[in-house]
């Protein structure tokens, strides 16, 4: 089982930037035939939504429309870590951000992910 730990959340003004990190342990992700890492977020009273994802071996990336051009997902294979660089942040980006992993290909549905981090709060003030 893969364990995930996020870091890097905080309070930032609108237009600012944050970089989230998610360190995986328990398995070396590159040893898995097919593994996909995603970032999700959940605002109060709302469902958890997919924000961005990356296929671990091939590096293909995927973004929700609201994140395109502002967020960048990347991975460091040697460190078993995935990142989410968030620029031009908006108040509506305020949420708890979670990283998640699943064996297989890209999937938008949170229910399809088997490993989850504890979440990190991102607050964007106007």
């Amino acid at each position: 089982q893969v364990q995930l730990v996020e870091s890097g959340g905080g309070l930032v003004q609108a237009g600012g930037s944050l970089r989230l990190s998610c360190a995986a342990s328990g398995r070396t992700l590159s040893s898995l035939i097919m593994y996909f890492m995603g970032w999700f977020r959940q605002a109060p009273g709302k469902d958890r939504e997919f924000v961005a994802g990356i296929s671990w071996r091939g590096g293909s990336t995927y973004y929700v429309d609201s994140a395109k051009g502002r967020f960048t997902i990347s991975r460091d294979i040697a460190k078993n870590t995935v990142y989410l660089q968030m620029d031009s942040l908006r108040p509506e980006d305020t949420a708890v951000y979670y990283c998640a992993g699943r064996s297989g290909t890209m999937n938008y549905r949170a229910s399809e992910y088997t490993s989850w981090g504890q979440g990190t709060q991102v607050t964007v003030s106007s």
Side-chain angles (χ1 to χ4, degrees), residues 45-98:
K46 294 189 175 181
D47 292 335
R48 193 168 296 189
E49 66 167 348
F50 176 88
V51 176
I54 187 166
S55 59
W56 193 259
R57 281 201 170 185
S60 298
T61 58
Y62 306 84
Y63 299 92
V64 68
D65 285 347
S66 61
K68 289 178 182 176
R70 300 189 302 127
F71 294 3
T72 304
I73 189 170
S74 62
R75 82 237 192 268
D76 186 322
I77 293 175
K79 293 183 178 180
N80 232 27
T81 298
V82 64
Y83 304 97
L84 185 67
Q85 176 68 40
M86 303 186 294
D87 299 318
S88 301
L89 282 162
R90 306 165 180 166
E92 54 264 38
D93 294 317
T94 296
V96 177
Y97 283 71
Y98 299 88

Side-chain angles (χ1 to χ4, degrees), residues 4-124:
L4 303 173
V5 177
E6 303 102 335
S7 60
L11 173 65
V12 65
Q13 288 188 329
S17 298
L18 282 174
R19 188 194 196 205
L20 306 183
S21 300
C22 175
S25 62
R27 296 290 299 271
T28 299
L29 299 184
S30 57
S31 70
L32 300 173
I33 294 174
M34 196 176 292
Y35 203 79
F36 191 85
M37 293 288 290
W39 283 98
F40 289 76
R41 66 186 179 189
Q42 188 165 19
K46 294 189 175 181
D47 292 335
R48 193 168 296 189
E49 66 167 348
F50 176 88
V51 176
I54 187 166
S55 59
W56 193 259
R57 281 201 170 185
S60 298
T61 58
Y62 306 84
Y63 299 92
V64 68
D65 285 347
S66 61
K68 289 178 182 176
R70 300 189 302 127
F71 294 3
T72 304
I73 189 170
S74 62
R75 82 237 192 268
D76 186 322
I77 293 175
K79 293 183 178 180
N80 232 27
T81 298
V82 64
Y83 304 97
L84 185 67
Q85 176 68 40
M86 303 186 294
D87 299 318
S88 301
L89 282 162
R90 306 165 180 166
E92 54 264 38
D93 294 317
T94 296
V96 177
Y97 283 71
Y98 299 88
C99 70
R102 66 185 300 272
S103 293
T105 57
M106 191 277 281
N107 199 298
Y108 288 111
R109 293 188 294 270
S111 60
E112 297 296 322
Y113 289 74
T114 54
S115 295
W116 288 88
Q118 81 285 0
T120 185
Q121 177 70 47
V122 171
T123 304
V124 184

